[in-house]
Amino acid sequence: MQESAILKTEDLKFRYNRGEEPADAPWKFVLDGISIEIERGSFVAVLGHNGSGKSTLAKHFNAILLPESGKVYVEDIDTADESRLFDIRRAVGMVFQNPDNQLVATVIEEDVAFAPENMGIESKEIRQRVDDALKSVGMYEYREQSPAQLSGGQKQRVAIAGIIAMRPDCIVMDEPTSMLDPRGRREVLGTIETLRGRYGITVVLITHYMNEAAMADRLLVMNEGKIILDGKPLEVFQNIDLIKSIGLDVPQSVELIHKLNREGLNLRTDILSADDCADAIAEYFLKNRPASGCKGAAYMRVLK
Amino acid sequence: MLKDITIGQYYPGKSILHRLDPRMKMIMTFVFIVALFAASNKIGLAVGAFIVIIAYACAKIPLKFLMKSLKPIIPLVLITSVLNLFFLTEGNALFRFWIITVTTEGISFAVVMSVRIICLIAGTSLLTYTTTPIALTDAIEQLLAPLKKIKLPVHELAMMMTIAMRFIPTLIDETDKIMNAQKARGADLETGGPVKRVKALVPILIPLFVSAFRRADELAIAMECRCYQGGEGRTRMNHLKMKLIDLWAGLFILACLAGVVCINIFL
């Protein structure tokens, strides 16, 4: 396991404003003993409401923040080791919420070239990486334009290209879609899928959207600095009551199936998408046609 | 309203002047300014004016564009020529009126001064018309590179310029939004005397500054995440390359300077 874990934390604890402990209130840990291992090539979503510590956790993954106690390892490098900072940053790329505040240059291709330039790569190789990165996010035709002319979703794709050009092993996205309109969100999510297919890159997606979280292979749910659920999205979403109790929702399809089952409909529970949900319900009614009278009433009750 | 502001009046084109190396263009502009001030007589200045006209024709920049940059200096030109006209009283008097004496010397000096100022502005604007801001920044960084030896933070200056240019449209958008937000809360920005209007700007500037600082903070983190660690060990994707044409252009402008100096000495 040691070999395959790209990111690893051991009993990670963290508080902001170290040394300025508030006198009146108890000084709470933002991250309170987190131990996780993220495997190479996986797609992990971290879900939590505001203030659950999910962004703080993300900032530990490439040494923007250092743990107060415990350890964080990136490819077996301790993030507290300042001499390896460059290697850590190169291995783990970060995409932030606001696309506007991540772009440096006035021309898109110059911006994408920013990271490789900083890494001291030869100019021919930079050119190749920039073209490749822009193509993989579908922004190649815009390479000579200014970021000011782009939509939010396009800007965020350029920001992702800027990270891809670094050729990191892992990309951590801190709510990359929260400032975008639905269309921009679809563009960015589509880009994430493409990148996983193309580079086999490890993705850590911090989000509070259920539908985004459902795309992942593995889902971590955070609350008050702790990881309270960890598993495949399907398994995690079965804990509907726990998820609801911390102020989050589950995807509507999961909730519907759950409610129907509570009414005694006995549908299969391995369902995430709306289409699958509809299929499952249709399947059920086809199978149980004679008895559908009373069960149909149960179904209607739930819908109401 | 704020969208109309354009910074760096680049006029896109594919002419020779657009394609010249920005470093060479900056050097040429500098040599041109020296030549303009070195030219002490009309023939020398005529050479200067001739260069400007040829250059504009080469770059295919419309007259309207040029006029826009000359407009603000018209009062300056008028004042200098009027002052020269009336206060240079040596030489052949053309006519006298009250305390005013207009001499041929005065007239010729006024014309020389006006032509010089106009050529100066037209010539230097040509640099920004034909060079993109990013190329200019690169050129400045490279031309000033020797000053790194005396600890001048050349790379940092160039980076600051790039970021400033990158954020001008963003901050203009933001200002627009804040203005609308304040108007929606009943702020009155358009009426009242100058003092009242300046005071009305305060509730716009404060949120603007707060957000600019927040942006700066986020940008700094994003830059660090992309391995930024100053100019040390940094490479570039696009290298500026001096070509043969740049050499010829440089020789041309030097020949012009030499010509102006010769005219000064021999005519």
Side-chain angles (χ1 to χ4, degrees):
Chain A
M1 279 311 271
Q2 185 75 11
E3 272 302 297
S4 61
I6 187 165
L7 298 172
K8 191 171 148 196
T9 70
E10 283 173 0
D11 196 30
L12 162 62
K13 291 191 177 186
F14 181 81
R15 284 177 289 196
Y16 281 104
N17 304 325
R18 209 171 298 178
E20 300 168 30
E21 188 172 355
D24 46 346
W27 195 27
K28 260 175 50 184
F29 279 101
V30 179
L31 296 178
D32 193 2
I34 289 187
S35 303
I36 46 168
E37 280 186 25
I38 289 173
E39 277 163 52
R40 193 175 289 276
S42 59
F43 179 6
V44 178
V46 180
L47 196 64
H49 62 81
N50 292 340
S52 61
K54 58 190 194 306
S55 290
T56 311
L57 178 63
K59 288 193 176 118
H60 278 85
F61 286 149
N62 72 344
I64 298 173
L65 294 175
L66 294 176
E68 186 175 324
S69 71
K71 291 278 180 203
V72 179
Y73 296 100
V74 172
E75 301 191 319
D76 297 332
I77 307 168
D78 187 346
T79 56
D81 183 356
E82 223 167 288
S83 63
R84 304 288 300 275
L85 189 63
F86 190 75
D87 294 319
I88 294 166
R89 295 264 157 89
R90 198 161 63 176
V92 180
M94 274 276 233
V95 176
F96 296 93
Q97 213 174 60
N98 189 339
D100 258 328
N101 298 350
Q102 299 173 63
L103 305 180
V104 185
T106 43
V107 180
I108 284 163
E109 60 173 17
E110 292 273 342
D111 187 83
V112 177
F114 182 72
E117 284 178 346
N118 289 333
M119 289 157 63
I121 290 164
E122 206 190 327
S123 50
K124 236 193 215 157
E125 165 87 12
I126 297 180
R127 166 53 65 190
Q128 208 189 335
R129 283 185 181 204
V130 168
D131 289 350
D132 192 48
L134 279 172
K135 276 175 194 158
S136 63
V137 300
M139 290 296 293
Y140 186 66
E141 307 81 67
Y142 297 88
R143 63 191 179 281
E144 284 175 357
Q145 287 189 23
S146 140
Q149 297 161 332
L150 302 182
S151 73
Q154 289 174 322
K155 277 186 213 168
Q156 195 63 289
R157 275 149 71 196
V158 171
I160 293 173
I163 299 298
I164 293 299
M166 233 168 32
R167 300 272 159 90
D169 299 312
C170 174
I171 180 163
V172 177
M173 306 203 190
D174 188 357
E175 303 196 33
T177 60
S178 65
M179 295 186 71
L180 306 179
D181 54 13
R183 193 169 146 208
R185 193 171 303 154
R186 269 200 303 279
E187 284 172 13
V188 169
L189 294 176
T191 305
I192 295 175
E193 293 276 293
T194 318
L195 293 180
R196 295 214 342 117
R198 190 163 170 159
Y199 299 99
I201 202 166
T202 314
V203 176
V204 177
L205 177 69
I206 314 282
T207 183
H208 59 246
Y209 290 111
M210 293 307 127
N211 298 346
E212 289 176 16
M215 287 166 55
D217 311 330
R218 179 177 169 198
L219 178 58
L220 305 172
V221 181
M222 282 187 76
N223 188 43
E224 299 193 332
K226 291 197 168 81
I227 292 192
I228 56 167
L229 288 169
D230 177 357
K232 289 203 160 63
L234 257 173
E235 298 160 14
V236 169
F237 286 138
Q238 299 312 315
N239 303 297
I240 292 185
D241 296 327
L242 180 57
I243 291 178
K244 290 225 159 186
S245 73
I246 59 164
L248 288 170
D249 269 324
V250 294
Q252 283 178 337
S253 49
V254 175
E255 193 175 355
L256 178 62
I257 298 275
H258 187 78
K259 279 189 175 169
L260 288 172
N261 280 348
R262 206 183 282 163
E263 296 288 336
L265 256 80
N266 202 17
L267 297 167
R268 42 191 186 93
T269 49
D270 56 335
I271 281 162
L272 274 179
S273 72
D275 284 347
D276 284 349
C277 174
D279 285 350
I281 293 170
E283 219 172 83
Y284 176 85
F285 280 109
L286 282 178
K287 243 191 261 169
N288 300 288
R289 200 171 303 199
S292 68
C294 68
K295 300 282 164 127
Y299 178 57
M300 289 311 290
R301 208 165 348 132
V302 172
L303 280 190
K304 270 178 205 155
Chain B
M1 160 186 99
L2 286 163
K3 297 244 153 123
D4 302 334
I5 305 173
T6 53
I7 309 276
Q9 315 165 296
Y10 177 63
Y11 182 81
K14 296 241 179 265
S15 72
I16 300 176
L17 270 120
H18 284 86
R19 277 179 285 133
L20 280 183
D21 189 295
R23 287 171 295 178
M24 186 48 91
K25 276 191 271 192
M26 290 189 105
I27 295 168
M28 286 171 72
T29 311
F30 182 72
V31 173
F32 172 73
I33 295 171
V34 172
L36 264 188
F37 282 96
S40 57
N41 60 29
K42 285 175 218 152
I43 305 171
L45 262 185
V47 173
F50 184 66
I51 297 172
V52 172
I53 293 165
I54 295 269
Y56 269 86
C58 263
K60 297 202 179 70
I61 285 165
L63 202 63
K64 209 170 75 187
F65 226 70
L66 172 61
M67 284 307 157
K68 217 166 70 187
S69 72
L70 288 183
K71 222 175 179 177
I73 59 146
I74 289 171
L76 184 73
V77 172
L78 283 178
I79 292 168
T80 4
S81 30
V82 167
L83 286 180
N84 275 311
L85 203 57
F86 295 153
F87 292 101
L88 205 89
T89 47
E90 287 150 43
N92 306 326
L94 272 183
F95 64 89
R96 284 165 205 279
F97 171 70
W98 189 39
I99 53 163
I100 296 164
T101 316
V102 174
T103 63
T104 46
E105 295 284 299
I107 290 175
S108 85
F109 203 78
V111 170
V112 165
M113 264 329 259
S114 311
V115 171
R116 186 174 280 158
I117 294 172
I118 290 172
C119 284
L120 185 70
I121 300 298
T124 45
S125 329
L126 197 60
L127 179 67
T128 52
Y129 285 157
T130 59
T131 320
T132 56
I134 198 153
L136 268 182
T137 328
D138 278 356
I140 290 171
E141 181 172 357
Q142 293 197 19
L143 283 178
L144 295 183
L147 295 181
K148 274 184 198 157
K149 290 232 164 65
I150 56 161
K151 303 267 188 251
L152 195 79
V154 176
H155 165 76
E156 283 74 8
L157 283 174
M159 185 50 89
M160 274 161 62
M161 279 174 69
T162 313
I163 291 174
M165 282 187 299
R166 155 73 187 80
F167 275 91
I168 285 168
T170 310
L171 290 181
I172 286 176
D173 265 0
E174 183 116 329
T175 317
D176 246 357
K177 270 187 209 149
I178 295 172
M179 278 169 90
N180 286 336
Q182 300 293 34
K183 275 185 202 159
R185 289 172 174 77
D188 180 11
L189 305 173
E190 265 120 27
T191 59
V195 178
K196 199 181 158 217
R197 277 200 206 190
V198 170
K199 273 188 184 158
L201 280 180
V202 173
I204 289 164
L205 289 181
I206 290 173
L208 186 64
F209 269 88
V210 171
S211 106
F213 282 126
R214 192 177 321 116
R215 279 178 195 283
D217 196 36
E218 279 181 31
L219 182 71
I221 290 180
M223 282 169 74
E224 266 189 43
C225 286
R226 290 164 81 183
C227 300
Y228 183 66
Q229 42 196 356
E232 211 66 36
R234 197 172 136 79
T235 48
R236 299 307 307 268
M237 177 171 67
N238 296 321
H239 283 286
L240 294 175
K241 275 199 207 87
M242 286 278 184
K243 289 177 293 252
L244 198 60
I245 183 103
D246 296 302
L247 195 69
W248 284 113
L251 283 176
F252 169 74
I253 200 81
L254 279 179
C256 290
L257 178 65
V260 166
V261 172
C262 287
I263 291 167
N264 276 348
I265 296 169
F266 297 113
L267 291 174

